[in-house]
Amino acid sequence: AKKLTLFFILGLLSVLIGLIFAVVAFNSVSAVDGLAGIYALFGLIPVIIIIILDRICVWKFGPKKVNKVQFYIAGIFILLFILNWIRLQLQ
């Protein structure tokens, strides 16, 4: 619990949800749903890469520094989404 980071928790949740969706889609009757399950599995590849990079950074720099950087990145993304939403409301 001492080495948990924001991206690690979000990555594990994404992998769990993606795997559940892929299994449900594979077991569906439609071929389109099976294809959606395959796309979901391909979408997990970048998430796994981010989790691996996160673990390397935690090993190298420590969880406090990595968490601080990850919260700054998340804050910047949230700020960009808010600014985009405001821009869309003013149009």
Side-chain angles (χ1 to χ4, degrees):
K2 292 180 182 178
K3 294 190 177 191
L4 291 179
T5 60
L6 178 66
F7 287 0
F8 183 67
I9 293 170
L10 292 177
L12 288 180
L13 287 174
S14 298
V15 168
L16 181 67
I17 291 169
L19 286 176
I20 290 171
F21 173 76
V23 168
V24 170
F26 282 145
N27 290 328
S28 180
V29 178
S30 170
V32 176
D33 292 339
L35 191 60
I38 292 171
Y39 285 148
L41 289 179
F42 280 134
L44 292 179
I45 293 172
V47 174
I48 298 295
I49 292 171
I50 289 174
I51 290 174
I52 291 170
L53 290 174
D54 174 68
R55 293 291 96 192
I56 291 171
C57 289
V58 167
W59 171 69
K60 196 167 191 173
F61 302 113
K64 278 190 174 182
K65 290 182 181 179
V66 173
N67 244 345
K68 185 188 284 189
V69 170
Q70 289 177 0
F71 276 111
Y72 284 141
I73 292 170
I76 289 170
F77 276 121
I78 291 170
L79 178 66
L80 288 173
F81 278 116
I82 291 171
L83 290 174
N84 188 35
W85 180 78
I86 292 171
R87 181 185 63 86
L88 290 174
Q89 296 301 317
L90 293 176
Q91 285 184 351

